[in-house]
Amino acid sequence: RESILNGSTVFQCGCLEHTVCRPTAAGNLRHSTEEPGTPSTGLNLCLRLLYLLGFGKEGLAMTHKRLIFMISLVCSLTGITAVNASTFVALTAEELIEQSSAIIQGRVIGLESRWDEQGRIIVTDATIQVTETIVGDTPPQVVVRTPGGTVADYRVEADGFPQLAKGEEVVLFISSGSNTQVRRIVGHQQGHVEVVRRLDGVSLAVPRMEEGISYLTPSGKPLPPMRSTELGTFKARLRAEAARINKPVN
């Protein structure tokens, strides 16, 4: 847990597991989550080394330029290279469905960013008006929580996590976890599909994969690019796969 002072604003970084916190050009902290061993994990190691070297038991406090200099110095001394990329282990369609308590189609009708219960990181709660429950069972409205957002002068960007927009129509793979009131999206950006209508009126299911985010199969091969599919075909495939693994289908 580090605090970085930039001008008069303190950006507090409460890292998630395998999270890298990058100072952006604007002086914000940029969060990204990687699997262990990916190149950009090096920056996280640099920050931790700075902490261990005595730059604040209560947190790192320095100007943005000095922070960049110290990170560069420590990385140079340790031979660590930081790369602006995030890598995730890809889930198969079966794994996405198996790990989801429900798969829904709906529209984002509200967004609210706040500090989490521990005050460590900013999260955003999106209220989804459910128009169709494809797999599982959900109420007419659900709240989906994602890392990142803006509260007053504080902003956290979470690389690789879904970023929902108000008014957006989506298909989401969601899981309730221990908190039955707030859901999370399964499979990072794999679990976030946008519904887009063509000029001819045909609805498409369009994967929302952020540029610079990599997904690897368990064997280490890159995940092939996910292509847009007609929405009806996409939902039919989901129902067929869910029925095959004995998930409740609607």
Side-chain angles (χ1 to χ4, degrees):
R1 184 173 185 175
E2 296 92 10
S3 299
I4 299 174
L5 184 64
N6 179 27
S8 59
T9 304
V10 175
F11 294 87
Q12 183 133 336
C13 162
C15 298
L16 300 169
E17 185 177 5
H18 304 151
T19 298
V20 170
C21 310
R22 299 190 189 95
T24 66
N28 300 337
L29 283 182
R30 183 174 181 86
H31 289 248
S32 64
T33 301
E34 293 93 6
E35 293 300 317
T38 57
S40 47
T41 304
L43 183 52
N44 197 21
L45 295 176
C46 290
L47 286 169
R48 293 184 183 280
L49 282 170
L50 286 170
Y51 179 84
L52 292 173
L53 287 171
F55 289 93
K57 185 176 181 182
E58 299 300 323
L60 297 172
M62 56 187 75
T63 65
H64 183 218
K65 289 182 179 179
R66 185 182 173 202
L67 174 66
I68 295 296
F69 171 76
M70 291 305 301
I71 289 176
S72 301
L73 176 61
V74 172
C75 288
S76 298
L77 292 174
T78 57
I80 294 173
T81 302
V83 178
N84 289 333
S86 298
T87 305
F88 298 86
V89 175
L91 298 180
T92 64
E94 178 179 342
E95 289 170 332
L96 273 172
I97 296 170
E98 181 66 37
Q99 295 179 27
S100 301
S101 58
I103 303 174
I104 60 172
Q105 179 181 345
R107 189 173 297 276
V108 182
I109 60 173
L111 293 171
E112 182 181 2
S113 296
R114 64 180 61 148
W115 291 99
D116 69 357
E117 288 79 2
Q118 292 74 38
R120 298 183 305 118
I121 191 171
I122 294 173
V123 296
T124 297
D125 289 345
T127 301
I128 313 295
Q129 183 68 50
V130 179
T131 56
E132 182 179 357
T133 302
I134 304 164
V135 175
D137 184 34
T138 61
Q141 287 187 1
V142 298
V143 176
V144 176
R145 179 168 294 175
T146 57
T150 302
V151 176
D153 294 331
Y154 299 87
R155 177 173 177 81
V156 171
E157 298 177 355
D159 287 347
F161 286 90
Q163 297 180 19
L164 300 172
K166 189 174 181 179
E168 179 185 15
E169 188 176 2
V170 292
V171 172
L172 298 178
F173 297 73
I174 58 175
S175 176
S176 56
S178 58
N179 187 344
T180 58
Q181 302 301 314
V182 178
R183 272 73 170 181
R184 66 177 182 86
I185 297 177
V186 176
H188 305 293
Q189 291 181 347
Q190 279 189 281
H192 176 201
V193 178
E194 185 177 7
V195 177
V196 177
R197 285 176 177 79
R198 295 192 314 214
L199 294 178
D200 60 5
V202 175
S203 295
L204 300 176
V206 181
R208 288 293 301 270
M209 307 295 281
E210 183 181 345
E211 185 179 353
I213 305 300
S214 301
Y215 284 82
L216 301 179
T217 65
S219 63
K221 296 181 179 179
L223 182 72
M226 299 177 66
R227 300 181 181 277
S228 301
T229 310
E230 287 195 9
L231 181 61
T233 301
F234 179 69
K235 292 193 291 187
R237 290 174 181 170
L238 292 178
R239 288 188 171 99
E241 183 64 24
R244 188 184 70 80
I245 59 176
N246 298 318
K247 298 278 284 189
V249 175
N250 301 302

